[in-house]
Amino acid sequence: MKHFAKLIFLLLALGIAVGVQCQPPRGPLAFPYRINADKTVTFQYYSHTATDVKISAQCEKAPVNLTKNASGMWSVTIGPVKPDIYPYNFIVDGIQVMDPANEYYFPNERFKGSLLDVPGDSPLIHSMQDVPHGTVTYEYYPSAEGTTGSLVVYTPPRYEKNTTKKYPVFYLISGTTDTEETFFKVGRANLILDNLIAQGKANPMILVMPNGNVAAQIADQKGGLKPGDPMGRESAEAVVRSKQFEDDLMKNIIPYVEKNYRVVANSQNRAIGGFSRGGGQTLRAAFGNMDKFSYVCAYSSYLTPQEIESSYKYLVDNPKRTNKMYKLLWVSVGNEDFLYKQTVEYMDYLKAKKINFKNLITTGGHTWMNVKTYLAATAPLLFK
Amino acid sequence: MKHFAKLIFLLLALGIAVGVQCQPPRGPLAFPYRINADKTVTFQYYSHTATDVKISAQCEKAPVNLTKNASGMWSVTIGPVKPDIYPYNFIVDGIQVMDPANEYYFPNERFKGSLLDVPGDSPLIHSMQDVPHGTVTYEYYPSAEGTTGSLVVYTPPRYEKNTTKKYPVFYLISGTTDTEETFFKVGRANLILDNLIAQGKANPMILVMPNGNVAAQIADQKGGLKPGDPMGRESAEAVVRSKQFEDDLMKNIIPYVEKNYRVVANSQNRAIGGFSRGGGQTLRAAFGNMDKFSYVCAYSSYLTPQEIESSYKYLVDNPKRTNKMYKLLWVSVGNEDFLYKQTVEYMDYLKAKKINFKNLITTGGHTWMNVKTYLAATAPLLFK
């Protein structure tokens, strides 16, 4: 066995990954980021040839320089960092790269980010705790234009055991360039629900996390990317894409979920929420199908008064009816979000139209740190 | 709504991802790789500042240069490419980066690869086909030293419906620096089983895909990375790590699976297989617990005669007993694999000791293209 062990180390020393014939960075391997006792965080990146290495992390206002030692190992210690989960990249001679030493990634169609997870002294609501855990399942469903869609579905603890119980469903839609995995891998929606349920703060519910970019799914499976279509997966107009998603949600996703999971299939037991583009899709799906959802959560997103007037006038023409149909209309945004001003305008408009809503203004920007906060704030309000 | 759509495009044009305040590559966005009618594949990468951009793909013997146009868009067409799934990276001025335009990644602790999926003219065994699909579930289980482990579990089509049926289980362990997601996201183990089951070639079975690197899991959750430990997650010796995994498998994973899934809990209905490091772990777990597994599959891996003589002598001292206990002892390797010679020595040794085994020598190297071939070849031999 020594022989086998030696072989492994020879190969690692040579910078060859036993596992696939792909090459990890040569030379000494950087260690994964290290969280120090004072909540400062130390990062390493190995390169003899790079002339400039920075880290761009959402816990820092601007990129921070790493410094190189004689063996070509770059490092920096940042913080203390407020406990949370932050996307980050290295910027090596101007090129964004994920942290080679970190396996935790940000699922996204465009940028490739790594995840920094700084635990709290007392456990954060999104942390892995010693409570009953639900399960997260990847499902395929028949989607638009004969394509196969992918859903990530959270079922609460004991779902498998309580084989007679039926559950309410919260549909959660991620942001532009995010994927159906982002609410799971970055939003930690499953752990947030595990913890809220264990604390008795949220009712057991099913979370359904679809892919909001149906245009991309069709392009992937049916082709349709043309050289004259340089923006590729982002090429469809936001509103076309939103309508495409609304159709997929109403005609394909909800029927699939209600056929394959034990759900209470009525509006009082159906909630929808989303972040950014997914928030716009949430509001259009909810306002376009008023009898289908009793709970509507927009995270860092809004609709313009113009769009509501032109497409959903009945919403504001009869506020009594609207207020009766929606048990919760939720708006939340960070005061540094680039959509802050428009979101405030949206709230002012709803107020002027006498539409009831709950809102939460936080610090911070258009980030998944805030999305977790908003999910943890809204889940306890659902299905009560 | 025009306003909202315009905002989206303004932001995209500015290179700001609506979704998080992270920056995708500025300027025109590259389109995702495009597969042409003749199976050549066109890749794009955008950079005005880069001086050298290559693509390193496992379908090519060596990195291939991209060429830049006036707008800073680099591109190249490679192939025709044999239909399969290939890991690849761009190499930008010597720095490995994932394809920013491709959301499909290679889950790994170290290198960060994108995935190229070239479909066949007739559907490949790992392709999404119009057949009943099983589901893939992410599970947490109580693991070594009080840590929480993660399992990816495939249940076959109709598992949820046939609530009385019990299933055999195939434990699949991935390679060094791979994660518990690699057999799912790169090996497409779920789709391979869906297709083999639909064709009547494989019996319905549960696949359990654990994380083979328990040392890393403990380091992640309990700390324990020291500055003097530059190799971080690879620091534990292969054999220590292998024993650590064997203990986790026998004491934690199998009991968890047999408690939480409908399985036939006996050796005739328990198989184990693995790739590379996971193949070594497979052989150690099987030879160290001979009464627990009737089917043993080593993909691109082996044990040395020395290790067998020193640790599992009873295996070769009583070949009759060994041949009776194992319904399948499988060895497969590619003739370009850097472990080819050692694997042949292992087979010669088994032959000399009169231990029965089935083997498959393919072309190619130590790759996940071969792992898919081996999984598709072995799954039909199990539980028959």
Side-chain angles (χ1 to χ4, degrees):
Chain A
M1 54 197 166
K2 280 258 157 296
H3 173 230
F4 191 81
K6 275 186 196 144
L7 174 66
I8 297 282
F9 281 103
L10 174 65
L11 294 166
L12 282 169
L14 289 172
I16 298 165
V18 183
V20 290
Q21 279 162 346
C22 256
Q23 299 196 350
R26 290 178 173 284
L29 290 173
F31 58 70
Y33 67 74
R34 198 174 61 241
I35 296 164
N36 307 304
D38 61 355
K39 302 288 186 199
T40 57
V41 184
T42 303
F43 295 86
Q44 280 194 336
Y45 181 85
Y46 176 78
S47 172
H48 255 301
T49 53
T51 59
D52 178 73
V53 179
K54 295 183 170 65
I55 180 169
S56 171
Q58 289 192 19
C59 51
E60 295 286 325
K61 290 287 172 204
V64 179
N65 289 304
L66 282 71
T67 56
K68 184 167 98 173
N69 72 12
S71 66
M73 190 65 73
W74 298 73
S75 65
V76 67
T77 297
I78 64 168
V81 176
K82 175 172 178 266
D84 207 328
I85 298 170
Y86 302 93
Y88 73 97
N89 293 96
F90 291 120
I91 304 174
V92 180
D93 294 338
I95 300 157
Q96 283 188 21
V97 295
M98 290 174 73
D99 182 347
N102 182 352
E103 77 181 77
Y104 299 99
Y105 51 82
F106 191 128
N108 192 274
E109 296 169 350
R110 283 284 165 192
F111 61 81
K112 303 290 172 260
S114 296
L115 296 174
L116 165 65
D117 186 349
V118 180
D121 295 323
S122 59
L124 302 176
I125 195 64
H126 60 255
S127 65
M128 170 70 66
Q129 298 180 37
D130 183 15
V131 299
H133 294 298
T135 57
V136 175
T137 302
Y138 285 56
E139 289 271 356
Y140 302 116
Y141 71 96
S143 181
E145 298 184 25
T147 60
T148 299
S150 178
L151 296 173
V152 176
V153 179
Y154 164 85
T155 52
R158 288 176 295 278
Y159 175 87
E160 291 77 10
K161 309 270 177 255
N162 302 346
T163 54
T164 56
K165 183 171 163 55
K166 294 186 166 190
Y167 295 81
V169 183
F170 187 15
Y171 293 85
L172 276 174
I173 308 134
S174 56
T176 297
T177 77
D178 293 333
T179 76
E180 67 273 20
E181 291 191 284
T182 312
F183 256 109
F184 168 36
K185 303 246 177 192
V186 185
R188 297 279 187 89
N190 59 318
L191 295 180
I192 289 173
L193 265 290
D194 286 345
N195 292 329
L196 290 173
I197 291 167
Q199 294 167 19
K201 290 180 181 162
N203 289 338
M205 66 184 79
I206 293 169
L207 302 179
V208 174
M209 297 161 271
N211 165 23
N213 192 350
V214 181
Q217 176 182 300
I218 294 168
D220 277 356
Q221 295 177 37
K222 298 267 179 166
L225 290 176
K226 301 166 298 302
D229 180 19
M231 289 178 66
R233 297 168 70 98
E234 283 76 30
S235 60
E237 272 207 23
V239 69
V240 173
R241 208 166 43 184
S242 191
K243 181 62 183 163
Q244 229 173 355
F245 173 76
E246 181 181 329
D247 290 344
D248 194 40
L249 177 68
M250 303 312 294
K251 295 177 187 165
N252 302 318
I253 296 171
I254 291 175
Y256 178 87
V257 168
E258 297 185 347
K259 176 169 182 289
N260 291 281
Y261 287 85
R262 297 195 313 276
V263 311
V264 191
N266 61 35
S267 64
Q268 293 72 37
N269 289 280
R270 203 179 290 122
I272 186 166
F275 169 54
S276 192
R277 177 207 65 196
Q281 291 171 316
T282 290
L283 293 171
R284 293 186 183 100
F287 297 165
N289 304 271
M290 282 190 70
D291 57 334
K292 292 292 186 296
F293 304 93
S294 294
Y295 304 85
V296 182
C297 303
Y299 307 147
S300 311
S301 51
Y302 65 93
L303 290 186
T304 61
Q306 300 91 304
E307 179 170 353
I308 295 174
E309 296 284 342
S310 62
S311 302
Y312 313 108
K313 201 159 188 323
Y314 49 80
L315 182 86
V316 289
D317 283 350
N318 190 342
K320 270 203 178 58
R321 175 171 170 278
T322 300
N323 292 333
K324 189 162 175 298
M325 295 195 85
Y326 291 131
K327 293 180 156 191
L328 175 67
L329 197 57
W330 171 275
V331 187
S332 52
V333 68
N335 60 16
E336 296 166 43
D337 193 311
F338 59 85
L339 301 180
Y340 176 73
K341 186 172 158 299
Q342 295 90 329
T343 309
V344 170
E345 285 167 6
Y346 166 68
M347 289 192 281
D348 292 342
Y349 174 77
L350 292 178
K351 202 172 299 170
K353 295 296 187 177
K354 300 190 163 42
I355 305 295
N356 300 339
F357 63 93
K358 281 202 172 70
N359 74 305
L360 174 64
I361 310 295
T362 62
T363 58
H366 202 76
T367 71
W368 277 88
M369 293 83 81
N370 270 341
V371 174
K372 296 197 305 300
T373 301
Y374 304 153
L375 176 59
T378 47
L381 306 177
L382 305 179
F383 315 122
K384 293 290 174 84
Chain B
M1 54 200 165
K2 279 259 158 291
H3 174 231
F4 190 82
K6 275 185 197 142
L7 174 67
I8 297 282
F9 283 102
L10 175 66
L11 295 165
L12 283 168
L14 289 171
I16 298 165
V18 183
V20 292
Q21 278 161 350
C22 254
Q23 299 194 352
R26 290 178 174 287
L29 291 173
F31 58 69
Y33 67 74
R34 198 174 62 240
I35 296 164
N36 306 305
D38 61 355
K39 303 288 185 197
T40 58
V41 185
T42 304
F43 294 87
Q44 279 194 337
Y45 182 86
Y46 176 77
S47 172
H48 254 302
T49 53
T51 58
D52 177 72
V53 179
K54 294 184 172 66
I55 181 168
S56 170
Q58 288 192 20
C59 50
E60 295 286 325
K61 289 289 173 202
V64 178
N65 288 304
L66 282 72
T67 55
K68 184 167 102 172
N69 70 14
S71 67
M73 190 65 74
W74 298 72
S75 65
V76 68
T77 296
I78 65 170
V81 176
K82 177 173 176 265
D84 206 330
I85 298 170
Y86 302 93
Y88 72 98
N89 292 97
F90 291 120
I91 304 174
V92 181
D93 293 339
I95 300 156
Q96 283 187 23
V97 294
M98 288 173 75
D99 182 347
N102 182 351
E103 78 181 76
Y104 300 98
Y105 51 84
F106 191 127
N108 192 273
E109 295 171 350
R110 282 286 165 191
F111 60 82
K112 302 289 172 262
S114 296
L115 296 175
L116 165 64
D117 186 348
V118 181
D121 295 323
S122 58
L124 301 176
I125 194 63
H126 61 254
S127 65
M128 169 72 64
Q129 299 180 35
D130 184 16
V131 299
H133 294 298
T135 57
V136 174
T137 301
Y138 285 56
E139 288 271 354
Y140 302 116
Y141 71 96
S143 180
E145 298 185 26
T147 59
T148 299
S150 179
L151 296 174
V152 176
V153 180
Y154 165 84
T155 52
R158 289 177 294 278
Y159 175 88
E160 292 76 11
K161 309 269 178 255
N162 301 347
T163 53
T164 55
K165 182 171 164 54
K166 293 185 167 192
Y167 294 81
V169 183
F170 188 14
Y171 294 85
L172 276 174
I173 306 134
S174 56
T176 296
T177 75
D178 293 333
T179 75
E180 67 274 20
E181 291 191 284
T182 312
F183 256 108
F184 168 37
K185 303 244 176 192
V186 185
R188 297 279 187 90
N190 58 318
L191 295 180
I192 289 173
L193 265 291
D194 286 345
N195 292 329
L196 289 173
I197 291 167
Q199 294 168 18
K201 290 180 180 161
N203 289 337
M205 66 184 78
I206 293 170
L207 301 180
V208 175
M209 296 162 270
N211 165 23
N213 191 350
V214 181
Q217 176 181 302
I218 293 167
D220 277 355
Q221 295 177 38
K222 297 266 183 169
L225 291 175
K226 303 166 296 302
D229 179 18
M231 291 178 64
R233 300 167 68 97
E234 283 78 29
S235 61
E237 271 206 24
V239 69
V240 173
R241 208 166 42 182
S242 192
K243 181 63 184 160
Q244 228 172 357
F245 173 77
E246 181 181 331
D247 290 345
D248 195 39
L249 178 68
M250 303 312 294
K251 295 177 187 164
N252 302 318
I253 296 171
I254 292 176
Y256 178 87
V257 168
E258 297 185 348
K259 178 169 181 289
N260 291 284
Y261 287 85
R262 297 194 312 278
V263 311
V264 191
N266 61 34
S267 64
Q268 292 72 34
N269 290 281
R270 203 180 289 123
I272 185 166
F275 169 53
S276 193
R277 178 205 65 197
Q281 292 171 315
T282 289
L283 293 171
R284 294 186 181 100
F287 297 164
N289 305 272
M290 282 191 68
D291 56 334
K292 293 290 186 297
F293 304 93
S294 294
Y295 304 84
V296 182
C297 303
Y299 306 147
S300 311
S301 51
Y302 66 94
L303 289 186
T304 62
Q306 301 91 304
E307 179 170 354
I308 294 173
E309 297 284 341
S310 63
S311 302
Y312 312 109
K313 201 159 188 326
Y314 49 81
L315 181 85
V316 289
D317 284 349
N318 190 343
K320 271 203 179 54
R321 175 170 169 278
T322 299
N323 293 334
K324 189 161 176 297
M325 294 195 85
Y326 291 131
K327 293 181 158 192
L328 175 68
L329 198 57
W330 172 275
V331 187
S332 52
V333 69
N335 60 15
E336 296 166 43
D337 194 312
F338 59 84
L339 301 180
Y340 176 72
K341 185 170 159 296
Q342 295 90 329
T343 308
V344 169
E345 285 166 9
Y346 166 67
M347 289 191 282
D348 292 343
Y349 174 76
L350 293 179
K351 202 173 298 171
K353 295 296 186 179
K354 303 191 162 39
I355 305 294
N356 302 338
F357 63 94
K358 282 204 172 72
N359 74 303
L360 174 64
I361 309 294
T362 61
T363 57
H366 202 76
T367 70
W368 277 89
M369 292 82 82
N370 270 341
V371 174
K372 296 198 303 300
T373 301
Y374 304 153
L375 176 59
T378 47
L381 306 176
L382 306 179
F383 316 122
K384 291 290 174 84

